[in-house]
Amino acid sequence: MEIRPLDREIYAGKTFTACYRTNGYYEIRPSETGFQMDYVPFAEPTERSFDDVFFGEWLEDPIAFGAFEGEKLIGYVEGSMEGWNNRFRISNICVLDFSERSRGVGTALMKPIERAAEDAGARMLILETQSCNENAIAFYKKNGFEIVGFDLYAYSNDDPERHEVRIEMGKKLH
């Protein structure tokens, strides 16, 4: 596996589908002291997916790195500075093929994006995931991220019922 920068001219605007499997979700609900978060298993494992695009137009000057086996892209990470608050947002980190997961691809991709954030002078890394993406949450925690917030209705008005609440996770760099 080789990690190398992705060329925006080649990848910008191309779409991909991110898929993940989950055995449960974190139920997040407001409480008198903030939020309560409890793990709830699904009756059976579930597969979820969403479509996205490389180098999203909403990002401020994004950079991306790909994990390659030969010329085959097996994973990638993308992010950009949020100039207004001096944070570096990882907008995507994805291992595209289930068979490549748990081989260290995500960890290998996290290194250059964190270095890029530090080089840009960012005070912290920030990213989002869904409350039903338990493997992503565990991966981010393993890589030094902690939960910094929730948005109960980021994706739709029925996110809590769909068990897909937005979780913000962050990692201080300085």
Side-chain angles (χ1 to χ4, degrees), residues 93-109:
I93 182 166
C94 184
V95 179
L96 299 166
D97 185 338
F98 279 123
S99 68
E100 300 292 340
R101 295 187 180 167
S102 300
R103 285 192 36 224
V105 177
T107 301
L109 287 166

Side-chain angles (χ1 to χ4, degrees), residues 1 4 12 26 35 37 45 56 88 101 112 114 135 152 156:
M1 174 181 51
R4 56 185 189 244
Y26 290 94
F35 286 92
M37 184 170 153
F88 191 96
R101 295 187 180 167
E114 185 169 338
N135 292 328
L152 296 178
S156 75

Side-chain angles (χ1 to χ4, degrees), residues 25-38:
Y25 64 96
Y26 290 94
E27 184 177 47
I28 299 166
R29 57 190 177 282
S31 71
E32 286 187 26
T33 58
F35 286 92
Q36 185 169 332
M37 184 170 153
D38 296 304

Side-chain angles (χ1 to χ4, degrees), residues 54-150:
F54 291 95
F55 293 99
E57 291 181 13
W58 58 274
L59 298 169
E60 296 177 37
D61 197 25
I63 61 166
F65 298 91
F68 290 87
E69 289 285 352
E71 290 306 307
K72 181 183 177 193
L73 180 66
I74 60 171
Y76 94 105
V77 63
E78 172 185 87
S80 68
M81 282 296 293
E82 291 180 331
W84 70 275
N85 63 6
N86 199 34
R87 298 187 309 184
F88 191 96
R89 178 163 297 274
I90 297 175
S91 53
N92 275 304
I93 182 166
C94 184
V95 179
L96 299 166
D97 185 338
F98 279 123
S99 68
E100 300 292 340
R101 295 187 180 167
S102 300
R103 285 192 36 224
V105 177
T107 301
L109 287 166
M110 192 62 82
K111 291 175 184 174
I113 204 77
E114 185 169 338
R115 198 167 28 255
E118 289 171 343
D119 290 349
R123 65 183 174 87
M124 76 180 304
L125 286 169
I126 193 87
L127 54 80
E128 73 172 87
T129 191
Q130 299 74 34
S131 58
C132 57
N133 197 343
E134 62 186 334
N135 292 328
I137 294 166
F139 170 77
Y140 299 137
K141 284 182 174 182
K142 184 180 97 177
N143 280 277
F145 287 78
E146 60 186 355
I147 294 172
V148 298
F150 305 105

